[in-house]
Amino acid sequence: MAIDRRKVLLYASAAALRFLLFTAFPRLPNLLTGRAEISTPVTSFKRLQEGLFLYTHNVSPYDGGVFYQAPLFLPLFALIPPSIFSLATAILYILTDLLCAEFIVQIADSGVARVNRLFSSPRKDNHWDSLAVGAAFLFNPFTIATCLARPTSVFSNCAILFAIASAVDRKPSQSMLALALAAYLSLYPALLLPPLILLGYDQVAGQGDSKPKLPEQSLKLGSIFSGSFAWFLTMSYMLTGQSWEFLRSTYGVHLLLPDLTPNVGLWWYFFIEMFDSFRKFFLGVFWLHLVGYVGGLCFRLRKQPLFVLTTIIGIFAIFQPYPSIADASLYFALLPLYNHVFPLMRYTFFAMATILYATLLGPAFYYLWIYAGSGNANFFYAITLVWSLGLSIIVGECLFAVLRDEWEIERPEMKGKEVRRI
């Protein structure tokens, strides 16, 4: 098997940059670990360390009301000797980033974003090299900051990318197992199940004479996902001393939002100001809003399930209960797959300027509120609204560009002409 020197150079450069930042600036990882923009109550590396301390001292990690992460993280990190814990975790997160990049390169190599069983873009010849797509992920500042901060969302993102890469590679069963792992770690990736089933079905149905039926395939893959998820829960039940206590402290935190630690999302400030009598109602409304996108996108963009997955991941980065820049970095990693429709986007400069504005002022506003005491929660929440606005514009513009790309196939005489949304 020939070695791709360009890929080796890319991965080596990305790994060297991360390792240099870990070693040359030893205080930087600890600084980033405490940042609200990167670490959330359900992904924080510091909270993982606290839970690990309780676990290694034979105390339930969920007793303190601090550790909200999946139980299977505990034996994984408990294997690392304390004397080399920092070095070993740095290497683990660097390797996870490289693995994510490899999955992205595989997805880009497949060309499914441009041509699949049901759709062929008229702009399919205009695309980036797969290694350029991988480089966009590896050298994204958000990705690098996330790697240094070591949140557990890195593993969820890796599982999601593995699930998509497996579906593209016509391995739908393996894809369901990977998605079950992602859902076990973070819960919300379970919403990716419908478009991932469609993607796996399209890839399998496009090969060979025997075409499986979609309902039968959906039932089969849904059963694999459910069985895999139940297996992970059973493992956790055995690991925590045959107790289901972890369910409330992991998935219950996502669903009920008991921890209102500030983050870049929209939920925390809203529920701080919320009267308790209305809390359950608006929890249902917020979750219904998040779930409601899945069915509509799968129906309208049935021909492009990979884009549905990309868009839903972008929506997660905006509307999930505990988002961080790790979720945005995953969305930005998949966007270059659709660079062939970038010329159809109209507000790219405004969207990117908004993201840059929020990125630079977010830490400053947080400092003014928490440390300087010259501001209040409105300072930080206002800049998170700007951040969400920027992401919303990008998601909306990408959706418009892909729909315009589809429309020009039906109406080729309209290619290049201006249209208006009404």
Side-chain angles (χ1 to χ4, degrees):
M1 180 178 178
I3 298 177
D4 189 337
R5 294 183 178 180
R6 294 170 59 226
K7 182 183 288 188
V8 172
L9 179 61
L10 171 64
Y11 291 175
S13 301
L17 174 61
R18 285 161 170 76
F19 191 76
L20 176 64
L21 292 173
F22 270 115
T23 54
F25 305 95
R27 294 184 180 181
L28 184 59
N30 290 332
L31 173 65
L32 294 177
T33 298
R35 295 300 311 175
E37 301 89 345
I38 307 176
S39 298
T40 70
V42 296
T43 63
S44 171
F45 186 71
K46 286 185 176 179
R47 296 195 182 217
L48 174 62
Q49 288 178 299
E50 293 183 25
L52 186 61
F53 177 83
L54 295 175
Y55 173 75
T56 54
H57 287 78
N58 297 319
V59 178
S60 173
Y62 301 104
D63 282 347
V66 174
F67 181 67
Y68 300 134
Q69 300 169 46
L72 290 184
F73 280 125
L74 299 172
L76 171 65
F77 284 90
L79 294 174
I80 303 175
S83 58
I84 59 169
F85 188 80
S86 297
L87 176 62
T89 53
I91 294 174
L92 174 63
Y93 276 82
I94 291 172
L95 292 177
T96 304
D97 263 11
L98 298 182
L99 192 59
C100 289
E102 178 62 23
F103 294 144
I104 292 170
V105 169
Q106 291 177 15
I107 297 169
D109 278 333
S110 70
V112 174
R114 305 180 306 276
V115 180
N116 59 46
R117 185 176 70 94
L118 301 175
F119 177 77
S120 177
S121 172
R123 298 171 175 83
K124 59 187 176 183
D125 295 328
N126 179 25
H127 62 90
W128 288 4
D129 180 73
S130 59
L131 290 183
V133 177
F137 168 77
L138 286 173
F139 293 101
N140 184 339
F142 293 152
T143 306
I144 295 173
T146 300
C147 179
L148 295 176
R150 295 166 294 176
T152 53
S153 53
V154 169
F155 301 104
S156 302
N157 291 350
C158 186
I160 291 172
L161 290 172
F162 181 41
I164 298 175
S166 298
V168 165
D169 197 31
R170 302 179 186 88
K171 299 175 182 177
S173 299
Q174 181 175 284
S175 174
M176 292 299 105
L177 178 60
L179 185 65
L181 175 60
Y184 165 77
L185 296 178
S186 299
L187 185 62
Y188 70 88
L191 296 176
L192 298 175
L193 179 62
L196 194 64
I197 288 177
L198 292 176
L199 177 61
Y201 171 78
D202 286 348
Q203 291 299 102
V204 173
Q207 297 291 319
D209 298 329
S210 58
K211 179 180 175 182
K213 295 182 179 179
L214 180 57
E216 296 177 357
Q217 187 79 349
S218 300
L219 182 61
K220 173 188 173 182
L221 296 179
S223 300
I224 295 174
F225 171 82
S226 302
S228 302
F229 188 76
W231 182 79
F232 285 123
L233 293 182
T234 304
M235 292 287 291
S236 300
Y237 171 76
M238 301 298 295
L239 184 64
T240 54
Q242 298 185 350
S243 170
W244 295 109
E245 175 191 9
F246 72 93
L247 290 176
R248 182 173 182 84
S249 298
T250 52
Y251 311 123
V253 172
H254 286 276
L255 296 172
L256 304 177
L257 206 75
D259 193 315
L260 297 175
T261 301
N263 54 68
V264 296
L266 304 173
W267 294 45
W268 65 274
Y269 187 79
F270 187 88
F271 283 95
I272 284 177
E273 301 295 332
M274 175 63 57
F275 291 109
D276 289 341
S277 55
F278 296 105
R279 182 179 174 86
K280 292 181 180 179
F281 172 76
F282 279 100
L283 277 172
V285 170
F286 273 53
W287 270 109
L288 184 62
H289 174 257
L290 182 61
V291 173
Y293 288 100
V294 178
L297 288 171
C298 287
F299 179 78
R300 178 60 185 86
L301 293 166
R302 170 63 186 91
K303 296 179 180 179
Q304 301 191 64
L306 180 58
F307 182 72
V308 175
L309 287 164
T310 302
T311 303
I312 294 176
I313 288 171
I315 291 171
F316 286 161
I318 306 169
F319 295 117
Q320 67 159 301
Y322 296 105
S324 68
I325 66 170
D327 303 292
S329 69
L330 177 61
Y331 178 57
F332 291 150
L334 295 174
L335 275 187
L337 298 173
Y338 292 91
N339 74 294
H340 58 283
V341 298
F342 284 178
L344 299 176
M345 298 171 64
R346 300 160 302 169
Y347 307 116
T348 307
F349 173 77
F350 177 73
M352 298 311 299
T354 305
I355 292 293
L356 182 61
Y357 175 85
T359 302
L360 295 177
L361 288 186
F365 282 16
Y366 187 79
Y367 175 83
L368 290 175
W369 171 31
I370 298 297
Y371 298 103
S374 57
N376 55 30
N378 294 329
F379 273 62
F380 185 65
Y381 189 62
I383 204 66
T384 61
L385 291 177
V386 176
W387 168 263
S388 298
L389 172 65
L391 288 178
S392 299
I393 294 172
I394 293 175
V395 171
E397 280 298 290
C398 289
L399 187 59
F400 169 80
V402 167
L403 290 175
R404 174 68 190 258
D405 193 47
E406 281 191 2
W407 184 63
E408 288 184 358
I409 295 179
E410 302 171 2
R411 300 282 302 276
E413 72 277 6
M414 299 300 295
K415 186 174 182 178
K417 296 184 179 180
E418 185 178 354
V419 296
R420 289 188 304 169
R421 285 182 293 182
I422 56 174

